[in-house]
Amino acid sequence: MKIAIQGIPGSFHHQVALNCFGNDAEIVGFRTFEEVAKSVANGHCPYAVMAIENSIAGAILPNYELIDRYGLWIMDEYYLPISHNLMALPGQRIEDLTEVRSHPMALLQCKKFFQDYPKISLIDDVDTASVAQRIGEESLVGIGAIASKTAAAIYQLEILAADIQTVKNNFTRFILLCSERKPADFLPNKASLKLTISNEKGSLAHLLTLLSAHDLDLSKIQSIPVIDEPWNYSFFIDTVFDTYENYQSALAAVRAHGGGIKIFGEYRSRKEEAGIVFQPNIASR
Ligand SMILES: O=C(O)C(=O)C[C@]1(C(=O)O)C=C[C@@H](O)C=C1
């Protein structure tokens, strides 16, 4: 079973793919999230794991756009506790480093730590683990990586500072994607949607009131531009609900008020299971 991820062994995506699909899964690494989305849409990989938001750094907005554009289906979610570590070639000290490279989301999560090291430039790179791999393979002196302890072990780097993320309790929420909606043998209590409303005074307030009147709890709302209609916006919404009926009647009310709805996925909230190894519900998919 092929699972598409952005990254290589030692990356957080790789860890999540192993946690969710087991050690026998064939994990296929890509350099960009766009290639990941494409590989699921064109059938090369039946499933993908994709980071969507982090508790310190916030949402990865471009990934919402990819799910929308490639018409992918969110079938599950997974919360991974994230510990970032500064690492370099054995023998290097923090004072020797002039550059630290990592995935942009990882750099954002560790910005505060580097305030004490103004001589170090922080540089965006492909993913956490591939920087660690490059430093090891090319014996790069003066360059550090921010990555997992697993990456340090695989690529034989020394950890100079552990747990350097701004707050210790740091989670990234990942979503599990497939190419299309399949019949579910479970009752969802969470959905990811795109809602489009007319750009009129009070229309967003009205939409939120409608959702709240049907007991929908919004766990996320994010506005994104409608690219072919300048200054008009759609809203990506994650909502958690007690009953599927409430959710359906909320959607019916939004439609009745002229709102457009695209459903990206209906699944079970995994927040309370954060950090616990689990099997995704893929038996019937
Ligand atoms: O670079 C990695 O190791 C990743 O898996 C990417 C990623 C992300 O996309 O947010 C995953 C989790 C962390 O939030 C930092 C980076």
Side-chain angles (χ1 to χ4, degrees):
M1 187 165 43
K2 285 186 174 156
I3 317 296
I5 62 161
Q6 188 218 38
I8 64 169
S11 70
F12 296 102
H13 275 94
H14 196 268
Q15 187 60 55
V16 174
L18 288 176
N19 289 359
C20 294
F21 293 94
N23 290 335
D24 293 337
E26 186 187 339
I27 302 173
V28 186
F30 293 92
R31 279 179 71 84
T32 65
F33 286 122
E34 173 113 27
E35 288 170 283
V36 169
K38 209 180 279 179
S39 79
V40 176
N42 68 20
H44 179 64
C45 294
Y47 303 113
V49 168
M50 189 183 265
I52 197 77
E53 62 179 301
N54 171 266
S55 54
I56 301 174
I60 309 182
L61 267 186
N63 287 358
Y64 286 93
E65 191 272 329
L66 289 174
I67 295 163
D68 190 12
R69 183 151 48 88
Y70 284 94
L72 305 180
W73 181 255
I74 303 174
M75 58 184 211
D76 217 326
E77 66 173 2
Y78 186 84
Y79 292 78
L80 185 75
I82 304 283
S83 158
H84 286 302
N85 306 278
L86 177 62
M87 58 194 71
L89 286 175
Q92 295 259 284
R93 298 163 308 147
I94 296 191
E95 295 69 33
D96 301 328
L97 303 181
T98 54
E99 244 179 45
V100 167
R101 296 180 163 265
S102 199
H103 189 281
M105 287 301 277
L107 291 172
L108 278 174
Q109 292 161 44
C110 303
K111 245 166 65 189
K112 194 156 174 274
F113 174 85
F114 289 98
Q115 284 172 1
D116 293 339
Y117 301 96
K119 289 197 183 121
I120 296 181
S121 310
L122 300 178
I123 299 174
D124 287 356
D125 215 303
V126 189
D127 73 276
T128 58
S130 62
V131 179
Q133 182 189 46
R134 205 179 316 137
I135 292 173
E137 283 182 0
E138 298 176 21
S139 298
L140 299 175
V141 294
I143 301 186
I146 298 172
S148 65
K149 292 197 173 77
T150 310
I154 298 177
Y155 305 111
Q156 295 172 15
L157 299 186
E158 205 165 274
I159 293 182
L160 305 182
D163 264 336
I164 60 166
Q165 65 278 6
T166 299
V167 292
K168 296 289 165 251
N169 197 13
N170 178 31
F171 281 87
T172 295
R173 174 179 168 237
F174 293 80
I175 48 182
L176 277 51
L177 295 162
C178 56
S179 62
E180 59 189 16
R181 182 176 195 152
K182 304 206 174 66
D185 54 5
F186 60 93
L187 212 51
N189 69 348
K190 185 165 183 179
S192 296
L193 315 164
K194 181 173 82 169
L195 301 187
T196 310
I197 49 174
S198 57
N199 188 4
E200 285 160 20
K201 204 169 170 183
S203 53
L204 177 59
H206 187 59
L207 172 79
L208 297 179
T209 309
L210 268 184
L211 298 179
S212 156
H214 289 84
D215 266 348
L216 260 58
D217 176 14
L218 295 194
S219 55
K220 173 141 219 94
I221 178 162
Q222 198 85 48
S223 74
I224 53 131
V226 180
I227 51 171
D228 48 4
E229 294 172 28
W231 317 120
N232 272 340
Y233 293 88
S234 292
F235 296 92
F236 284 124
I237 284 180
D238 285 339
T239 175
V240 179
F241 41 86
D242 286 336
T243 71
Y244 197 66
E245 290 69 35
N246 277 352
Y247 160 69
Q248 283 182 313
S249 48
L251 295 195
V254 172
R255 284 194 188 100
H257 282 81
I261 300 175
K262 183 169 174 186
I263 303 175
F264 292 140
E266 294 174 357
Y267 45 97
R268 295 217 43 97
S269 168
R270 301 286 195 168
K271 206 170 200 169
E272 54 297 328
E273 300 169 34
I276 296 169
V277 174
F278 81 116
Q279 286 300 313
N281 196 343
I282 56 169
S284 63
R285 292 188 164 109

